[in-house]
Amino acid sequence: MKRRCRVCGAVYEYCYSCEKVHSWRALTDTADHYYVLNVLMEYQVDHDAMKAYQAFCRRSIDIHDTVGFLPNVQTLLDEIACAVKAVDKKKTVPLPHRAAVQKKAAASREMKDAADKTE
């Protein structure tokens, strides 16, 4: 069966057993996208941008790199980024080194592109 990722919109193959065991494959095409989806769902409930930002930083997910995500996901990530930036202007908040996060995100994209080419 085919499903569409709720984060990037990519179509991917999945089987009934994934849904039966409540696997991340029932909602997204990658485990990282499932993590993004869960953090965003939690953010929509509690509206704690700093908590969401820190969750993304723990997994080295660059919330500024939204290319390839669905518009609603991009909007939420931009909202979180703006809220964190506003908090940072009010007080000094230790933010992770952005270059390291961007480097890991680029490596992840390269690996995904290489995997797509082999399929």
Side-chain angles (χ1 to χ4, degrees):
M1 291 191 290
K2 294 196 185 269
R3 280 269 169 116
R4 187 169 299 275
C5 178
R6 293 186 181 186
V7 174
C8 69
V11 176
Y12 62 96
E13 291 286 334
Y14 100 108
C15 61
Y16 176 71
S17 64
C18 291
E19 189 168 327
K20 192 173 163 183
V21 296
H22 303 293
S23 168
W24 55 265
R25 301 261 320 149
L27 300 171
T28 61
D29 61 340
T30 67
D32 281 342
H33 284 181
Y34 184 69
Y35 185 79
V36 169
L37 181 66
N38 281 327
V39 171
L40 291 178
M41 287 190 312
E42 187 173 332
Y43 170 72
Q44 287 180 308
V45 171
D46 64 15
H47 298 289
D48 187 346
M50 188 55 71
K51 181 179 172 183
Y53 179 75
Q54 290 170 345
F56 286 127
C57 289
R58 279 193 295 276
R59 292 282 287 261
S60 299
I61 296 171
D62 184 5
I63 63 172
H64 302 285
D65 182 19
T66 61
V67 175
F69 289 160
L70 293 173
N72 59 335
V73 173
Q74 289 176 345
T75 301
L76 287 170
L77 290 174
D78 290 342
E79 186 178 308
I80 292 167
C82 288
V84 169
K85 188 175 181 180
V87 168
D88 188 39
K89 284 184 179 181
K90 290 180 184 176
K91 62 181 183 177
T92 305
V93 176
L95 299 176
H97 194 273
R98 209 168 154 205
V101 171
Q102 289 174 336
K103 184 177 178 182
K104 184 168 181 185
S108 176
R109 280 193 306 277
E110 288 174 8
M111 287 177 51
K112 186 175 181 183
D113 289 343
D116 290 343
K117 287 179 184 178
T118 59
E119 291 178 355

